[in-house]
Amino acid sequence: MISFTLNGQAVSADAPPTSRLTEVLREALGRKGTKVGCDAGDCGACTVLMDGRQVCACMVPAARAEGANIETVEAEDHDLARLQASFLRHGAAQCGICTPGMLMAAVDLLRRNPAPSEHEAKEALGGVLCRCTGYRKIIAAVCDTGPAVADPIAGRVGEAVGRLDGAAKVAGDSFGADFAPDGALIVRAIRSPHNHAAFAFGDLAAFAARAGVASVMTAADIPGRNAFGVIPPFADQPAIAQSPARFRGECVALVAFEADADPDLGAFPITWQPLAALMTPAQAEAEGAALLHPTRLGNRLIEGRLKKGDPAQAMASSAHVVEAVMETSFVEHAYIEPEAGSAWMEGDTLVIRACTQAPVMDRDDTALILNLPADRVRIIPSAVGGGFGSKLDVSLQPLLGLVTLKTGRPCRMTYSRSESMSSTTKRHPAEMQGRIGCDATGHIMAVEFEGRFNTGAYSSWGPTVANRVPVHVSGPYFTPHIRAQARAIHTHGPVSGAFRGFGVPQAALWQETIFDQLADKVGLDRLEFRILNALRDGDESATGQILSAVGIAECLEALRPHWARALSDAAKASSPLLRGVGVASCWYGCGNTSLPNPSTIRIGLSQDGRVILHQGATDIGQGANTVIAQIAAQALGLPLHDLVLIGPDTHLTPDAGKTSASRQTFVSGRAAKAAAEALRARVLRLANAGDAATLSLSGSVLTVTEGASRRKIDLATLSADAFGYALTAQETYDPPTSGLDENGQGKPYALYGYGAQMVELEVDPRLGTLRLIKITAAHDVGRAINPQLAEGQIEGGIAQGIGLALMEEYIPGRTENLHDYLIPTIGDVPPIESLLIEVPDPEGPYGAKGLGEHVLIPTAPAILNAIRHATGAVITKVPALPHRVLAAIKGAS
């Protein structure tokens, strides 16, 4: 027995002395507030206090805890409570998976230093990684721990309301690994250790008969269609592969272990025969290359094309032309929560609780794989510890479902860090080339672009990337002539999928770095060159769409005073380090490209006087739970605190679509507004009141006030409708778009978001290293429904853009952990100044536009442009690791 003090109480646990303290806390004692992100001491999510000092609980053997005083996020402690209040006040928790670790590290700091500086806060929290927030609001929260101030905010649109799910976040929310039914089987996957390999099983029956093994499953056990995919016509990825395995990390078998067994796969009977692997698009497109999928000739999944005007003639007549190449790498999502979930039966319904961005898509794919009607599969999303696109694709959902269906028993599965990184999707590596021309005054004349994207072994979001890139590669600039092609090529690399921007960040690296060179050729200031070419209302996009509510010029103009100050500071700098300033812009179409994109929201008034909002939009940290509720409350005319949120849950909430492509605030927000307005209209009709009437709730009595007239509706006296409410409204919104023709002409998106960022940095020309000084970001959000949440999205996106630019490069078999794969730490993200620009779009709810994807797009090209400004070096491959920067500096000199 291991005995120690936990949060002031004496506890004992029956645990081997070599087990991890995280296992003791979570499994033996049921304290799930302490999270596990890596089991290697790399991420810090498991940080607890041991005798008053922070430690990574995953690296502490249980024996070391004997007699110790352990404190976790569940503690009832004054210092912790003050910090939790400060985190809520500053919006310092987004997805929440790192929050317990951050809080405990901060408690350690504040007990030793009640008024830390920013530098001291960074030092103390440097061992805890966050993938969502960009760290800036965490630093603000730690450095401001005064007494909580009563929140006077009523929750109207435009107010910085605290997260409705914030209290759960700072208390250690319930993620995929944090719940499983009693006695749940433990599921483990056998995965390919090779990029391409044939395999054969030995005596599976003998292995299944071993003590502690409940069942073994292979592809032969799948009762339905063994193929899934986020775009149904392209579905090609097996839940469990038959020989051969097409990428490293592919699942080829499952083993379900008894709850108390050691889930050891070391003796699993399988033999591998490595096969020749096509690891680059060049190899895959070479003449005679073997096909990964027999119907996809040349290993080409798809090619997106766009043509407008006469780009060849316009290029020939351009006064200045810059031709360039740009290459990007695989980028790992690196969310701190590895995939996790559990499954069980409720009657004849299969229930799966797991982390996901797309519960209805999960349900539909899982039902097809398991040969079940969709209404017999229920998906309950857990809290999601980061997603960024990768948790759109199913992962463990059909595996959990298969085990429960086959054994009739509940089960649970949690990916290891290396398993998560090897088996899930990545950002598409891109090889891009082309040229951009302008006239003598600097006006863009033409763009010619060709991109080749490594889509990996299966389709995933490859078609979306290949079609979105040509639409966006011109940037938010008027481009009368353009030809753009982007093809997705299969290789034996990791599956490439959705990652915050769907290929647009890669294209922006190519386009925005060319723009700096063109500005120099023309003799124009780089910011003014962009303002000169910025799209305006009434302009045609590259797809021929007439644009309105275009906010890019306002974003660029908002940077003018910051730009002038930064250039002056750079000119005055005297140091062996070279100071540089860079700028880049972005635009992003919100929602699906030229495809249906509906969201449905339901809102009801219960007979006991509650306002119930059923919204199935998964909140992965971006704030959908709060923003959509704010929109609904304002449209209904009741305060936000009257609303009760239900969802997402495929049995309780209508389909609000997937959380991706910056669509939830826009699309689900519009649906929520429509549903709330419809419910309000029903109430006003009942009360025979006009639109100007006000509503208030007291118990079951709804009061409608119009001037001196006051009418009361006792909801308890109304009969329950089909949904069980006194009054209900349900509405759907689908953005008005049109298909693209053979030249990519049409209306692919109903609205766009815009932004521009400025980076200040200094480069050490001797080492190729650099330090970011400040980033200023101006983003057109249409209408800031919640300014604090909008700022949090900007800061978090910028942090991921820093990683894309400077450090993140996933290499299969080499960087499958958070030690070798580097993401920005709290010390890597500089001060960020966010400028919220509001150019309302009438298509958005209260004028709002999406934001989540856009904010990452300009960061990396602005960094590269700042490096070039400082050193003259042109970077043509990211990440700009020191050796690449040094080589580029030498090339420039």
Side-chain angles (χ1 to χ4, degrees):
M1 298 293 290
I2 305 294
S3 299
F4 54 90
T5 300
L6 176 62
N7 299 328
Q9 301 293 319
V11 297
S12 296
D14 186 1
T18 56
S19 60
R20 302 175 190 270
L21 179 56
T22 46
E23 295 170 341
V24 175
L25 292 172
R26 291 175 55 83
E27 302 302 326
L29 298 174
R31 305 301 173 88
K32 301 297 177 85
T34 300
K35 308 306 178 185
V36 177
C38 67
D39 268 343
D42 294 326
C43 75
C46 64
T47 299
V48 301
L49 301 188
M50 183 172 179
D51 295 329
R53 289 303 177 96
Q54 60 172 296
V55 295
C56 284
C58 74
M59 299 300 287
V60 176
R64 276 188 56 202
E66 176 67 36
N69 179 31
I70 306 296
E71 296 171 81
T72 72
V73 75
E74 292 98 341
E76 293 183 6
D77 174 83
H78 175 68
D79 297 318
L80 176 59
R82 288 175 59 203
L83 265 171
Q84 288 169 324
S86 187
F87 267 54
L88 292 175
R89 191 164 62 249
H90 287 276
Q94 287 192 19
C95 84
I97 191 71
C98 74
T99 303
M102 287 287 185
L103 285 167
M104 299 317 296
V107 168
D108 178 18
L109 167 66
L110 293 177
R111 286 177 180 171
R112 292 181 284 109
N113 180 359
S117 66
E118 178 172 320
H119 174 75
E120 290 166 333
K122 286 182 175 181
E123 287 287 312
L125 273 62
V128 186
L129 295 177
C130 175
R131 193 59 157 164
C132 294
T133 67
Y135 301 102
R136 300 306 306 177
K137 295 198 181 305
I138 293 173
I139 294 169
V142 172
C143 294
D144 171 23
T145 54
V149 178
D151 187 355
I153 292 174
R156 294 183 62 80
V157 164
E159 294 178 340
V161 180
R163 288 177 179 272
L164 298 189
D165 50 7
K169 302 293 183 192
V170 299
D173 210 343
S174 183
F175 295 88
D178 294 339
F179 171 80
D182 291 340
L185 301 173
I186 299 171
V187 182
R188 294 285 186 267
I190 307 295
R191 298 188 180 276
S192 173
H194 306 287
N195 297 310
H196 187 206
F199 59 90
F201 298 118
D203 191 344
L204 295 178
F207 186 85
R210 294 164 63 104
V213 175
S215 186
V216 175
M217 280 143 280
T218 68
D221 294 292
I222 290 178
R225 185 191 72 178
N226 190 13
F228 66 86
V230 290
I231 304 173
F234 294 90
D236 58 1
Q237 185 167 353
I240 303 176
Q242 294 178 303
S243 184
R246 291 183 174 92
F247 71 97
R248 176 182 169 85
E250 184 161 26
C251 174
V252 300
L254 296 176
V255 180
F257 293 90
E258 297 293 343
D260 57 354
D262 177 14
D264 183 7
L265 296 172
F268 188 83
I270 188 170
T271 56
W272 298 96
Q273 180 187 350
L275 302 173
L278 305 170
M279 297 305 294
T280 68
Q283 293 172 343
E285 287 193 305
E287 186 175 351
L291 298 181
L292 274 78
H293 303 277
T295 61
R296 294 174 185 166
L297 300 182
N299 285 310
R300 181 177 299 187
L301 170 64
I302 196 171
E303 182 173 63
R305 295 172 176 267
L306 186 147
K307 185 176 185 295
K308 180 184 178 187
D310 189 344
Q313 175 60 37
M315 198 71 71
S317 62
S318 294
H320 305 286
V321 176
V322 172
E323 188 165 354
V325 298
M326 180 64 68
E327 184 179 353
T328 71
S329 306
F330 283 117
V331 181
E332 159 66 22
H333 299 74
Y335 29 73
I336 306 304
E337 178 203 26
E339 290 72 10
S342 56
W344 63 93
M345 297 299 297
E346 290 183 358
D348 65 353
T349 297
L350 171 65
V351 182
I352 300 172
R353 180 187 184 273
C355 51
T356 179
Q357 294 178 237
V360 174
M361 290 168 57
D362 288 357
R363 179 199 66 190
D364 294 348
D365 261 340
T366 299
L368 285 171
I369 290 167
L370 301 180
N371 197 28
L372 291 174
D375 62 4
R376 283 192 53 202
V377 178
R378 179 182 183 184
I379 302 292
I380 304 175
S382 64
V384 182
F388 319 115
S390 189
K391 289 176 182 174
L392 290 166
D393 301 68
V394 297
S395 54
L396 44 63
Q397 292 88 343
L399 308 182
L400 290 164
L402 178 63
V403 171
T404 289
L405 284 181
K406 183 173 180 181
T407 65
R409 300 171 62 183
C411 67
R412 61 175 174 153
M413 187 177 194
T414 301
Y415 285 9
S416 68
R417 172 52 58 184
S418 62
E419 187 177 19
S420 174
M421 294 180 76
S422 67
S423 67
T424 61
T425 60
K426 308 286 173 278
R427 183 181 295 283
H428 283 73
E431 302 165 8
M432 298 168 287
Q433 60 185 5
R435 53 186 182 161
I436 303 177
C438 68
D439 66 17
T441 65
H443 289 89
I444 295 299
M445 295 286 290
V447 170
E448 293 180 340
F449 169 85
E450 182 179 346
R452 183 164 64 176
F453 291 78
N454 183 344
T455 206
Y458 298 105
S459 64
S460 185
W461 291 96
T464 300
V465 169
N467 284 295
R468 188 177 274 268
V469 165
V471 173
H472 287 82
V473 73
S474 64
Y477 308 104
F478 181 66
T479 307
H481 305 275
I482 181 171
R483 178 185 59 79
Q485 299 168 251
R487 61 190 188 274
I489 304 301
H490 284 299
T491 68
H492 290 111
V495 180
S496 295
F499 191 167
R500 211 168 191 169
F502 288 99
V504 180
Q506 295 94 304
L509 278 161
W510 175 83
Q511 171 263 314
E512 285 288 337
T513 51
I514 287 179
F515 263 42
D516 263 30
Q517 298 174 63
L518 273 176
D520 288 351
K521 283 180 174 287
V522 176
L524 280 175
D525 173 90
R526 293 170 289 147
L527 177 63
E528 296 303 322
F529 180 81
R530 288 169 169 83
I531 293 173
L532 175 70
N533 286 288
L535 288 164
R536 263 78 175 184
D537 284 8
D539 282 346
E540 269 195 9
S541 73
T543 70
Q545 180 177 354
I546 304 300
L547 299 172
S548 61
V550 180
I552 184 57
E554 287 84 348
C555 292
L556 290 164
E557 289 163 0
L559 290 179
R560 269 181 171 145
H562 305 272
W563 180 253
R565 189 266 312 153
L567 289 177
S568 174
D569 289 350
K572 293 182 216 174
S574 57
S575 165
L577 305 180
L578 304 177
R579 191 86 170 251
V581 185
V583 65
S585 302
C586 71
W587 69 325
Y588 195 80
C590 299
N592 293 348
T593 307
S594 292
L595 291 171
N597 193 23
S599 280
T600 301
I601 298 289
R602 181 188 311 142
I603 186 166
L605 281 165
S606 68
Q607 291 169 312
D608 59 359
R610 293 174 300 146
V611 184
I612 314 294
L613 178 64
H614 294 253
Q615 74 92 2
T618 306
D619 192 326
I620 59 173
Q622 83 280 26
N625 282 338
T626 305
V627 166
I628 293 171
Q630 281 182 264
I631 292 168
Q634 176 133 332
L636 181 58
L638 285 171
L640 182 62
H641 60 71
D642 279 348
L643 267 65
V644 176
L645 184 66
I646 290 182
D649 179 329
T650 59
H651 268 38
L652 298 179
T653 53
D655 184 7
K658 59 192 182 296
T659 293
S660 71
S662 298
R663 63 176 297 281
Q664 291 295 12
T665 294
F666 164 38
V667 184
S668 293
R670 271 293 301 268
K673 183 172 183 284
E677 288 172 341
L679 182 58
R680 176 180 173 83
R682 290 196 64 189
V683 170
L684 296 180
R685 283 196 299 272
L686 275 176
N688 195 28
D691 291 342
T694 61
L695 309 184
S696 62
L697 264 176
S698 178
S700 66
V701 177
L702 177 64
T703 302
V704 182
T705 303
E706 185 175 25
S709 173
R710 180 172 296 177
R711 302 172 181 86
K712 295 182 181 294
I713 301 171
D714 188 350
L715 299 171
T717 65
L718 300 182
S719 299
D721 62 16
F723 295 109
Y725 294 124
L727 296 168
T728 309
Q730 178 170 299
E731 295 292 334
T732 297
Y733 173 75
D734 192 1
T737 63
S738 68
L740 300 179
D741 66 18
E742 67 277 8
N743 289 317
Q745 298 298 293
K747 184 182 178 182
Y749 310 103
L751 63 75
Y752 298 78
Y754 303 88
Q757 295 177 10
M758 184 190 81
V759 169
E760 300 168 68
L761 54 72
E762 55 189 14
V763 180
D764 187 331
R766 301 160 300 175
L767 301 175
T769 56
L770 59 88
R771 181 179 73 89
L772 297 172
I773 297 169
K774 183 183 179 183
I775 296 177
T776 307
H779 284 271
D780 170 25
V781 299
R783 176 78 184 278
I785 304 295
N786 187 313
Q788 185 181 77
L789 296 181
E791 289 177 2
Q793 284 294 286
I794 291 170
E795 292 164 5
I798 284 173
Q800 292 186 357
I802 291 169
L804 170 65
L806 299 178
M807 63 190 72
E808 296 191 42
E809 185 169 14
Y810 179 81
I811 302 170
R814 288 178 52 189
T815 59
E816 294 172 355
N817 56 65
L818 293 175
H819 178 77
D820 297 308
Y821 185 86
L822 302 180
I823 67 172
T825 69
I826 200 168
D828 294 315
V829 181
I832 296 169
E833 183 174 353
S834 296
L835 310 175
L836 297 182
I837 310 300
E838 295 185 313
V839 180
D841 193 311
E843 195 63 40
Y846 299 105
K849 303 169 182 175
L851 180 67
E853 315 275 316
H854 321 29
V855 291
L856 176 146
I857 296 168
T859 311
I863 289 172
L864 297 197
N865 285 338
I867 293 172
R868 178 176 176 271
H869 179 237
T871 67
V874 177
I875 306 294
T876 59
K877 181 174 182 177
V878 293
L881 300 172
H883 71 280
R884 290 175 184 151
V885 174
L886 270 180
I889 292 173
K890 291 176 182 176
S893 62

